[in-house]
Amino acid sequence: MGLVGKDSVWIVTNTVANALDSLNTTVISSMEGTLGIKSYYSDDSSPYKEFSALFRRNFTSEYPEEDHFHPSIHALRAHDSIKIITEAIGRLNYNISSPEMLLRQMLSSDFSGLSGKIRFKDGELLNADTLRIVNVVGKKYKELDFWLPNFGFSKTSSKHNVGDISSNIAAEGFTGPVIWPGNLINRNPKGWAMPSNQEPMRIGVPTRTFFEKFVVIKDDPLNGNSNDKNLRYDGFSIELFRLVVDHLNYDLPYEFVPHDGVYDDLINGVYDKTYDAAVGDLTILGNRTEYVEFTQPYAESGFSMIVPAKQEESTWMFTKPFTWEMWMVTAASFIYTMFIVWLLEHQSNPEFRGTLKDQISNILWFAFSTIFFSHRANIQSNLTRVVVVLWLFVVFILTSSYTASLSSLLTVRRLEPNVTDIQSLKSGNLKVGCVDDSFVKKYLEEVLGFRSGNIVPFGNTEANYIQKFENNTIDSLFLERPYEKVFLDKYCKKYTAINTYRFGGLGFAFQRGSPIALDISRAILDLSEDGRLKTLEEEWFKPSSECSADERYSTRPENLTLHSFWGLYIVYGATSIFCFLLFVIRLLNNSWSHQETYQGNIAAWNIAARLARYIHNRKGTINNPARVSALGLAPPALELSSSRWEYKLSPTHPPENLQVELQMHE
């Protein structure tokens, strides 16, 4: 039946393995490579040697044609069975009143027989504690290792000599070489019918691919025949599979078979064993894993929404770096800084005095010149200097951020999509497109909630995609992630991708339980780790000269928001308000000091005026108020240095009705 060839594995239990001692050499040779589990018995004990010699002598005399004359486990158990009965009768002194009495004595037996330990529990003979692992080689078998309960595999049959041997055997295999069916020695079998040059692996390849960069099947120009064996298979998925097969440590004969049908039919072909495997751009999905076994993904998968886009251009592009909230707060900061600097410098700095028009123009010029750090105003107050230094730091941060953002907007090409999200498609009852041979249509209906009438499936060629967009049949296109990359490499000037959904990836499909799938997965991981998979991707998926890697997707720089500079504004505002409060406190202290000095001067003048009046009354030399001025009693004008306050005494009023007129000159 061909079930004992290379890469097949046969493991027999002790029922069959114990019979190896009783089988003739012809039967044993047909079982070459079989692994078996045998009951262990000691062949070094004196009772065994005596019994074995007697058995061989009697057996060869009765069956001289047999070439295997050693006692088997069955002969040893027959001997032990008779011993159980004889010892039970002996313990009863040959006084057997009933079969039940004899049975009880037999079940109480406990001794070491030729076949092993003889002991019963619940009316049954306990199995042997130690087992032997044997391997059929030629016309006989050889022992490989022992198996002990609670220890596992061991080189010896004694539990006391096991040590760490069992763990080493479990990790590295048997201590002795194993001969497998088909005389396979240098490697372990797959336990699977491996392909050969006479019967290579049949691998199905899809002919209706989404993009030819993954799989392309063409007639071989070197051969005029147009049958399946003369087709030329190419593409990223095909080249990767060939690279993976070359990476395996064994030969894997195979042949490609074109499959003209949808992808689900190709998966079913692997499931019903029409194909041994399937190679191509196969998406790993949960429902497909119930029928086939996929390898490690060699490319990420999912699908994205492709929408038409146009390059964003605007006359007001220079306002884009900041949001409108940021512009409003920045303008308010300018006005606030103008007001604070004017308050702090107005009374002590002549450059900030004058007419109202001059003051407004000077402070505006000062505020806006700080943007370019070209201000030349002479600052006299230390509090103003603190405010100006902090403001210059704020201006430096704002101008640097603005310049960087504007440079990005002007130099990095940006695409503005016509549709921004899926919800706008659904609410606007817009048409969406997808490939008819794809799981995407079902996902759009059942998961994303699109109406079946709004989904337009079409053929899997690039011309169909572009045509549907140009005649406004669809407003967006849903493509799987690998195809999206190929599409945008060619049409990045007109389309962009948004809203990506992830799935299992792309892989190769094998029959369930196939050991080759695991080897292929390991090879894919090795190629990914050493960089050869990346190199192969770069060879097959080179972007066009017009589309760089940064232009495949819409990379719209975000506007600078107020949240990014909120802390800076808080620090500046708190410090400037603190400086302003210090200025107000100092101004109030100076005002109170001047008021006390002024009141002292008024009191002294009252005394002098009363004295002059007294002299006038006494001597009568002064008859009218004009004479008071002649006596030099008119008070001189007084000035306060800080604010040039002046006061005058009216010469037409007597001193007791002294009136003070205050005038403040700016």
Side-chain angles (χ1 to χ4, degrees):
M1 296 178 63
L3 299 180
V4 290
K6 282 187 178 181
D7 285 295
S8 62
V9 177
W10 282 91
I11 301 176
V12 297
T13 62
N14 59 348
T15 303
V16 179
N18 289 336
L20 292 176
D21 296 323
S22 305
L23 299 177
N24 57 46
T25 56
T26 304
V27 176
I28 294 179
S29 62
S30 67
M31 300 174 61
E32 184 174 18
T34 301
L35 284 179
I37 303 172
K38 288 191 61 177
S39 300
Y40 169 75
Y41 56 87
S42 176
D43 54 3
D44 293 332
S45 63
S46 298
Y48 175 82
K49 292 180 179 179
E50 295 176 1
F51 175 80
S52 177
L54 179 61
F55 180 87
R56 289 197 304 269
R57 185 171 62 251
N58 295 337
F59 186 82
T60 54
S61 63
E62 187 171 355
Y63 304 100
E65 70 278 4
E66 294 289 340
D67 55 359
H68 193 87
F69 45 80
H70 294 283
S72 67
I73 186 65
H74 301 294
L76 301 180
R77 286 177 176 173
H79 176 274
D80 292 338
S81 299
I82 296 175
K83 186 176 181 180
I84 292 173
I85 298 174
T86 57
E87 288 190 355
I89 295 175
R91 288 193 296 271
L92 293 174
N93 295 322
Y94 300 95
N95 184 14
I96 303 174
S97 59
S98 65
E100 290 77 9
M101 182 182 296
L102 178 61
L103 179 60
R104 286 195 297 270
Q105 288 297 324
M106 292 172 58
L107 294 179
S108 64
S109 300
D110 188 0
F111 64 91
S112 296
L114 297 180
S115 62
K117 187 70 174 177
I118 303 300
R119 187 171 64 252
F120 294 88
K121 182 178 181 181
D122 297 332
E124 295 183 356
L125 180 65
L126 296 178
N127 294 325
D129 292 337
T130 305
L131 299 175
R132 290 188 294 180
I133 311 299
V134 296
N135 183 205
V136 178
V137 181
K139 297 182 179 181
K140 58 182 180 179
Y141 66 87
K142 65 175 182 178
E143 294 182 354
L144 296 178
D145 290 301
F146 296 91
W147 187 89
L148 285 71
N150 301 325
F151 288 94
F153 294 105
S154 172
K155 292 182 179 180
T156 64
S157 61
S158 174
K159 298 180 181 180
H160 303 287
N161 299 326
V162 173
D164 295 331
I165 296 177
S166 60
S167 61
N168 294 334
I169 294 176
E172 302 176 4
F174 297 117
T175 55
V178 179
I179 305 299
W180 299 103
N183 199 27
L184 185 62
I185 302 176
N186 56 350
R187 64 175 176 85
N188 293 333
K190 299 296 180 181
W192 192 271
M194 297 295 290
S196 61
N197 293 328
Q198 292 74 25
E199 295 184 2
M201 176 182 290
R202 287 173 51 85
I203 299 178
V205 179
T207 58
R208 299 169 54 185
T209 57
F210 298 151
F211 286 90
E212 291 186 349
K213 285 195 174 183
F214 287 92
V215 176
V216 56
I217 303 177
K218 297 181 179 179
D219 293 333
D220 192 347
L222 300 180
N223 195 318
N225 299 326
S226 59
N227 52 49
D228 294 348
K229 293 186 178 180
N230 295 313
L231 296 176
R232 184 164 57 92
Y233 298 84
D234 205 356
F236 171 72
S237 299
I238 301 298
E239 288 299 321
L240 175 61
F241 181 76
R242 289 170 177 161
L243 191 63
V244 166
V245 171
D246 293 339
H247 187 74
L248 298 176
N249 57 358
Y250 57 88
D251 293 333
L252 185 66
Y254 65 89
E255 63 178 6
F256 290 131
V257 180
H259 175 80
D260 187 13
V262 298
Y263 280 71
D264 286 339
D265 290 343
L266 178 59
I267 297 297
N268 291 332
V270 178
Y271 174 71
D272 61 21
K273 295 182 174 53
T274 302
Y275 308 111
D276 297 313
V279 170
D281 47 346
L282 306 175
T283 303
I284 302 175
L285 300 176
N287 61 336
R288 291 179 177 177
T289 58
E290 298 178 2
Y291 303 98
V292 297
E293 186 162 341
F294 283 97
T295 62
Q296 171 76 18
Y298 63 84
E300 64 175 349
S301 181
F303 69 87
S304 301
M305 185 171 73
I306 309 295
V307 295
K310 60 181 180 179
Q311 188 170 358
E312 183 181 4
E313 297 179 356
S314 175
T315 306
W316 303 97
M317 182 66 72
F318 67 91
T319 64
K320 298 293 184 179
F322 289 165
T323 60
W324 70 269
E325 294 93 346
M326 187 67 184
W327 282 115
M328 295 295 293
V329 173
T330 303
S333 300
F334 271 93
I335 298 174
Y336 171 79
T337 302
M338 293 164 48
F339 180 72
I340 289 294
V341 171
W342 179 81
L343 284 178
L344 297 179
E345 291 291 319
H346 171 69
Q347 294 185 7
S348 60
N349 194 337
E351 296 185 13
F352 293 88
R353 292 203 299 267
T355 63
L356 180 61
K357 179 180 178 181
D358 293 338
Q359 294 183 53
I360 293 176
S361 61
N362 290 337
I363 194 62
L364 282 173
W365 174 254
F366 172 81
F368 282 97
S369 62
T370 56
I371 299 178
F372 310 99
F373 304 96
S374 59
H375 52 285
R376 294 292 184 267
N378 183 22
I379 303 300
Q380 297 183 0
S381 174
N382 291 329
L383 295 177
T384 309
R385 292 189 178 99
V386 173
V387 173
V388 171
V389 168
L390 281 177
W391 172 245
L392 291 177
F393 179 73
V394 172
V395 169
F396 173 75
I397 297 297
L398 292 179
T399 53
S400 300
S401 303
Y402 177 85
T403 303
S405 180
L406 184 60
S407 300
S408 177
L409 292 173
L410 296 177
T411 57
V412 178
R413 178 183 169 275
R414 297 187 303 159
L415 291 177
E416 189 70 19
N418 296 342
V419 181
T420 57
D421 54 26
I422 291 179
Q423 190 60 37
S424 60
L425 290 172
K426 295 165 61 177
S427 60
N429 203 29
L430 302 178
K431 300 289 185 179
V432 298
C434 67
V435 180
D436 54 0
D437 180 18
S438 173
F439 70 95
V440 177
K441 183 178 184 298
K442 183 178 180 181
Y443 191 90
L444 293 176
E445 293 181 11
E446 298 180 357
V447 179
L448 298 183
F450 280 93
R451 298 178 182 176
S452 178
N454 290 338
I455 301 176
V456 181
F458 46 84
N460 48 358
T461 61
E462 297 179 26
N464 287 334
Y465 307 153
I466 303 302
Q467 182 181 3
K468 297 295 182 181
F469 273 124
E470 290 179 350
N471 58 21
N472 296 324
T473 303
I474 60 174
D475 295 281
S476 68
L477 169 66
F478 287 90
L479 282 181
E480 293 186 58
R481 180 74 173 174
Y483 314 137
E484 169 223 323
K485 181 178 180 182
V486 177
F487 183 83
L488 292 181
D489 281 343
K490 190 173 182 180
Y491 302 104
C492 65
K493 298 292 185 180
K494 297 181 179 180
Y495 303 93
T496 186
I498 57 178
N499 294 346
T500 300
Y501 299 84
R502 304 290 180 180
F503 290 99
L506 299 185
F508 305 134
F510 289 82
Q511 296 176 7
R512 289 184 61 84
S514 173
I516 303 177
L518 179 59
D519 295 338
I520 296 294
S521 295
R522 290 172 178 168
I524 292 175
L525 289 176
D526 292 340
L527 296 178
S528 177
E529 292 172 359
D530 62 20
R532 282 185 282 178
L533 179 58
K534 182 66 175 178
T535 302
L536 189 63
E537 288 181 359
E538 294 174 351
E539 292 177 359
W540 279 95
F541 302 124
K542 292 180 180 179
S544 62
S545 58
E546 297 180 353
C547 298
S548 64
D550 296 332
E551 292 178 326
R552 295 174 184 169
Y553 309 100
S554 177
T555 55
R556 177 186 179 92
E558 295 184 358
N559 301 70
L560 299 175
T561 63
L562 181 61
H563 179 74
S564 304
F565 304 94
W566 188 247
L568 183 66
Y569 281 120
I570 290 178
V571 172
Y572 169 67
T575 304
S576 59
I577 291 176
F578 179 74
C579 293
F580 175 71
L581 293 177
L582 289 180
F583 167 75
V584 172
I585 294 174
R586 182 182 298 177
L587 183 63
L588 292 177
N589 289 334
N590 292 337
S591 176
W592 292 335
S593 176
H594 294 328
Q595 185 176 2
E596 291 176 357
T597 303
Y598 167 72
Q599 291 177 354
N601 293 335
I602 292 298
W605 175 247
N606 286 337
I607 295 174
R610 290 176 182 176
L611 180 61
R613 184 169 137 185
Y614 174 77
I615 296 174
H616 170 75
N617 293 334
R618 291 283 297 177
K619 296 183 177 182
T621 57
I622 301 177
N623 296 322
N624 55 61
R627 299 294 300 272
V628 177
S629 176
L631 292 175
L633 297 178
L638 299 179
E639 290 187 1
L640 299 179
S641 61
S642 63
S643 58
R644 298 178 62 188
W645 294 91
E646 296 181 357
Y647 67 90
K648 299 178 181 179
L649 289 179
S650 176
T652 61
H653 294 79
E656 59 269 22
N657 296 324
L658 187 66
Q659 296 181 354
V660 179
E661 181 181 358
L662 300 179
Q663 294 180 351
M664 180 177 183
H665 300 279
E666 296 297 333

